[in-house]
Amino acid sequence: MNRSKITPIVLSVIIVILAAAVVLLLIFMKNQPIETRGVPALIEIAAMEPDSEKWGVNFPNQYSTLLKTETNNTGTVYGGSDPVQKLEVDPRLVTLFAGYAFSKDYKEDRGHMNSVTDVRATLRINDKTPGTCYSCKSASNPSLWAEMGMAAYDKTPFNELGARIEEPIGCANCHEAGTMRLIVTNPALEEALEAQGKDWTTFTRQEMRSVVCANCHVEYYFKGDGKYLTFPWAGGTSIEAIENYYNEYDFADWTHPDSGAEMIKMQHPDYEMFTAGSTHFNAGVACADCHMPYTRDGSVKFSTHDVHSPLTNPAQACGACHTDVDYVVGRVSAIQGQVAATMYAAEDAILDAIEAIKVAAADGKANAKLIEEARALHRSAQLRWDFIAAENSMGFHNPEEALRILASATDLARQAQLKAVQALP
Ligand code: HEC
Ligand code: HEC
Ligand code: HEC
Ligand code: HEC
């Protein structure tokens, strides 16, 4: 036979056999039990479902890594998950926060799954504590805010609201069920962004990878008798804008018993510091890049939800962008060491100011106007120092800004001290 006639026949036969093989393979794959293909059964998740375990049926990797935040207990030099008592590490804090609950109990934070246990255990809670304190602690919140409204939620006493707070931080704090997109869930964040003319629904995915953290990792206060959760951002998020905001509103958390100054406690402004022009923020890096790096489980790649100090897994947390991980980790300790030293110097200056004002105020003949000026300077100095002390990265999130603010805190404290001395006859 002619070879040119055989070839097409042989080819057709081969093609038919190959096609049949592909069909059989597809049928075989389709009939495999679902688990062995690694695709979990999907269940429908109710809107704002508080129970992360239910979401976990669809997203087992994200759920199992979130669970790990409960048992992390590794401490780092300035952070980590070991709940050390900061008042023992740095006894100056007892005088700085005299007259306020933070002078009784101030522990290093832990992982997200401990949020409810830890807030209930703190000695800062008493009968008068408002429900507002649960705002950053629970996946039960989004559905409660939808049901009660945030004003009614905030007015409910802490101990009473507690009966309805069942879940620690979970999926419903950051994701929309169904679409799984990242969303703003805290009404106070939505209102604070609106006050700045910003609409989060227009934000990019990369912006949302930081903004979801701003649901909680921000400076805030309880406004008015209703203790309404408010972020002081209307004039901007720099420390100067925040101070102006509080001064206009004439706000104070407590009166310092030694100096008599009207004080403000700052709360973990991680988002404000990071976004104040830090190198990483300017380069388009987000919180989730360092705190929720991609990890692998076999062939599956996902964002780890085991959020903690990046210093305990720098190869993952920094290695995606930096080739020399040892070098950048060394930079973190150099930066943190410098910020800590500058921070302690600011504390010493504030303690000197407190002492000088106390002495002047105890002297019946001192100049009252100068004492008032010294008190205002004490307030100004301490809220700046606290902005950096309460921020969680010991300056790493934004080293230049941290050093700038601390220098100004020390300067204001020395001015306060000088005024108090001048006030004496
Ligand atoms: C470039 C990497 C990077 C980015 C981006 C980043 N962080 Fe951090 N973060 C760190 C490092 C490093 C530390 C210091 C950890 C330590 O001292 O153990 C830290 C510390 C923290 C801590 C305290 C951790 C602990 O163990 O106590 C919190 C909370 C935190 N960051 C939240 C945020 C938030 C919120 C954002 C975004 C607004 C953010 N971080 C952006 C690297 C980063
Ligand atoms: C503290 C906020 C936060 C919580 C709580 C949270 N997530 Fe996420 N999740 C994120 C961020 C940030 C990303 C990254 C999103 C991106 O890159 O677009 C993410 C990504 C995801 C993704 C996309 C795939 C991936 O891994 O990148 C899924 C699915 C997901 N999360 C499921 C869950 C589930 C299920 C829970 C509860 C068990 C949960 N998340 C809790 C913030 C959170
Ligand atoms: C619903 C509020 C909420 C959201 C949203 C949230 N956090 Fe937290 N975060 C907390 C609270 C509260 C703690 C302290 C829990 C404790 O100490 O029990 C915490 C602790 C942490 C810690 C310290 C963990 C440790 O082991 O020391 C890091 C780091 C952190 N958060 C980063 C982030 C990042 C990054 C995001 C955004 C992807 C984020 N958080 C979103 C409330 C929140
Ligand atoms: C998503 C990418 C990304 C991740 C993750 C990341 N970085 Fe960076 N980092 C950058 C970029 C981009 C720059 C700016 C580079 C430049 O301008 O030269 C930078 C700069 C730095 C610098 C120099 C800052 C300065 O002001 O000169 C240090 C230090 C640093 N990173 C440390 C870290 C550490 C530590 C981690 C992990 C905890 C980390 N980075 C994670 C992208 C990243």
Side-chain angles (χ1 to χ4, degrees), residues 279-280 283 285-286 289-290 310-311 314 317-322 327-329 331-332 335 396 400:
T279 304
H280 282 112
V285 179
D289 286 316
C290 295
L311 298 182
C318 322
C321 304
H322 294 284
Y327 169 75
V328 287
V329 169
R331 288 298 303 146
V332 177
I335 289 166
F396 174 74
E400 292 80 7

Side-chain angles (χ1 to χ4, degrees), residues 215-239:
N215 278 304
C216 306
H217 289 267
V218 293
E219 160 60 13
Y220 61 82
Y221 75 110
F222 298 170
K223 188 174 188 172
D225 292 339
K227 306 288 177 196
Y228 192 76
L229 181 66
T230 309
F231 301 177
W233 289 4
T237 55
S238 69
I239 182 59

Side-chain angles (χ1 to χ4, degrees), residues 71-313:
T71 48
N72 291 340
N73 56 13
T74 312
T76 59
V77 181
Y78 300 107
S81 319
D82 179 13
V84 292
Q85 179 61 261
K86 296 190 187 192
L87 302 174
E88 281 161 22
V89 177
D90 182 6
R92 280 169 280 215
L93 298 177
V94 178
T95 310
L96 291 164
F97 294 127
Y100 200 52
F102 276 86
S103 66
K104 298 203 185 78
D105 187 15
Y106 192 3
K107 293 206 179 73
E108 172 58 35
D109 60 9
R110 296 201 290 163
H112 284 160
M113 285 296 286
N114 299 304
S115 54
V116 168
T117 319
D118 287 351
V119 74
R120 286 182 181 157
T122 173
L123 305 175
R124 296 198 297 270
I125 299 292
N126 60 37
D127 288 348
K128 288 190 217 96
T129 305
T132 324
C133 283
Y134 273 123
S135 304
C136 290
K137 313 291 186 218
S138 174
S140 307
N141 289 336
S143 57
L144 282 177
W145 284 322
E147 183 197 315
M148 308 168 70
M150 195 173 78
Y153 174 107
D154 290 348
K155 265 191 214 133
T156 312
F158 182 84
N159 291 331
E160 189 183 324
L161 191 66
R164 306 209 52 197
I165 302 286
E166 278 151 11
E167 299 291 334
I169 293 166
C171 325
N173 290 113
C174 299
H175 291 283
E176 178 177 65
T179 65
M180 289 310 286
R181 69 182 178 130
L182 296 175
I183 52 169
V184 166
T185 50
N186 187 338
L189 174 57
E190 179 146 29
E191 286 164 15
L193 290 169
E194 267 170 21
Q196 294 181 292
K198 292 181 184 164
D199 172 5
W200 68 267
T201 60
T202 64
F203 289 178
T204 62
R205 171 178 163 217
Q206 186 64 2
E207 284 174 302
M208 289 309 291
R209 285 161 51 88
S210 290
V211 171
V212 277
C213 314
N215 278 304
C216 306
H217 289 267
V218 293
E219 160 60 13
Y220 61 82
Y221 75 110
F222 298 170
K223 188 174 188 172
D225 292 339
K227 306 288 177 196
Y228 192 76
L229 181 66
T230 309
F231 301 177
W233 289 4
T237 55
S238 69
I239 182 59
E240 287 79 11
I242 288 175
E243 179 183 37
N244 286 341
Y245 176 100
Y246 282 133
N247 287 348
E248 263 169 45
Y249 182 65
D250 210 8
F251 183 78
D253 283 306
W254 89 105
T255 305
H256 199 286
D258 298 337
S259 79
E262 296 293 307
M263 308 299 291
I264 296 181
K265 176 78 189 80
M266 290 289 162
Q267 333 280 345
H268 42 72
D270 303 322
Y271 180 77
E272 292 90 331
M273 281 293 290
F274 178 65
T275 54
S278 70
T279 304
H280 282 112
F281 178 69
N282 287 349
V285 179
C287 313
D289 286 316
C290 295
H291 288 283
M292 302 181 66
Y294 288 114
T295 50
R296 266 185 190 287
D297 180 25
S299 61
V300 199
K301 200 171 150 227
F302 63 97
S303 307
T304 178
H305 282 54
D306 183 8
V307 175
H308 53 62
S309 164
L311 298 182
T312 59
N313 63 334

Side-chain angles (χ1 to χ4, degrees), residues 316-386:
Q316 271 183 319
C318 322
C321 304
H322 294 284
T323 43
D324 194 343
V325 171
D326 290 342
Y327 169 75
V328 287
V329 169
R331 288 298 303 146
V332 177
S333 68
I335 289 166
Q336 289 187 324
Q338 194 192 357
V339 171
T342 314
M343 187 182 87
Y344 295 139
E347 292 176 13
D348 288 335
I350 299 170
L351 290 185
D352 288 347
I354 292 174
E355 185 56 28
I357 299 171
K358 192 177 164 185
V359 169
D363 186 305
K365 296 193 210 77
N367 180 322
K369 187 170 163 277
L370 287 179
I371 292 178
E372 273 318 307
E373 286 174 21
R375 286 179 175 143
L377 286 162
H378 171 209
R379 165 184 164 108
S380 247
Q382 185 156 335
L383 65 82
R384 278 174 177 69
W385 157 78
D386 202 10

